[in-house]
Amino acid sequence: MYLGALVRLRAPEPRDADRLYELFNDAGAVAGLGVRYPVSRQAELDWVTGRGTPSYGSAHFAVETHDGLLLGTCGLFDTEWPENRSAQLGIALVDRSQWDKGYGTDTMRTLCRFGFEQMNLHRIELLVFASHTRAIRVYEKVGFVREAVARQKHWNAGWHDDVLMSLLEGELR
């Protein structure tokens, strides 16, 4: 378990499946993630039970408040180890009732600190919808830099751009 100021990152557990099912079927909460279709309880159970033990290649976490409220998930994956010491970051805090309370920023700091200190990464990168300005503000707040725009990268009732952002070892704020 990894503690931030407001959140803790822990291994996903089968007991999380029902709550994740509820959260990931809130269309307004997952719009910025590109989730298009309803997610089944079984799919959520498969996700939490299929994560296995974190490794250099992949570390997935349930994100919860210090008092145990499950907010969503995050992780580092597609790790290029040992050649490039880089990984992709994914975050989905989908409990809308808890937005704008600092949990996203704290989750990002805690996850990136884990990546640099525990996984010995040098670079963490992510793709974010250009229209997802709230997420971009959080990423920039913790030190991520915009590197490129992938024009018309995804379809969601029209073509939309994605932004590639990265954070290097030593840049975490």
Side-chain angles (χ1 to χ4, degrees):
M1 182 172 343
Y2 298 93
L3 289 176
L6 302 173
V7 300
R8 74 177 142 235
L9 310 183
R10 61 166 175 77
E13 298 286 348
R15 64 184 153 89
D16 298 328
D18 284 340
R19 171 90 168 132
L20 292 173
Y21 167 77
E22 171 191 324
L23 293 173
F24 277 92
N25 280 294
D26 177 348
V30 298
L33 304 175
V35 176
R36 292 184 186 178
Y37 308 113
V39 179
S40 70
R41 275 192 171 81
Q42 185 62 49
E44 290 301 341
L45 183 59
D46 291 348
W47 186 87
V48 296
T49 58
R51 292 293 129 200
T53 303
S55 68
Y56 282 119
S58 175
H60 297 275
F61 299 97
V63 179
E64 66 183 12
T65 62
H66 286 188
D67 61 0
L69 178 64
L70 183 62
L71 303 173
T73 63
C74 69
L76 295 163
F77 52 93
D78 293 342
T79 304
E80 296 177 16
W81 180 264
E83 301 84 17
N84 297 320
R85 292 177 45 209
S86 66
Q88 299 289 319
L89 183 145
I91 180 171
L93 300 187
V94 288
D95 183 342
R96 287 198 285 175
S97 71
Q98 300 302 310
W99 287 359
D100 299 319
K101 296 183 179 181
Y103 295 125
T105 301
D106 193 46
T107 299
M108 289 296 294
R109 285 186 179 126
T110 305
L111 181 60
C112 291
R113 193 173 59 246
F114 169 83
F116 293 130
E117 294 175 3
Q118 301 299 316
M119 295 175 75
N120 195 26
L121 296 175
H122 176 70
R123 173 187 169 90
I124 297 172
E125 64 182 44
L126 57 84
L127 275 176
V128 58
F129 297 166
S131 60
H132 201 341
T133 56
R134 294 175 46 149
I136 291 171
R137 276 194 308 274
V138 168
Y139 303 151
E140 289 176 336
K141 185 188 305 186
V142 301
F144 276 79
V145 174
R146 296 177 197 222
E147 291 189 340
V149 174
R151 298 178 308 135
Q152 298 183 8
K153 174 79 172 165
H154 71 272
W155 173 267
N156 186 1
W159 288 107
H160 301 274
D161 297 344
D162 283 354
V163 178
L164 172 65
M165 301 181 78
S166 71
L167 179 72
L168 301 178
E169 192 175 15
E171 293 179 339
L172 182 61
R173 289 183 253 171

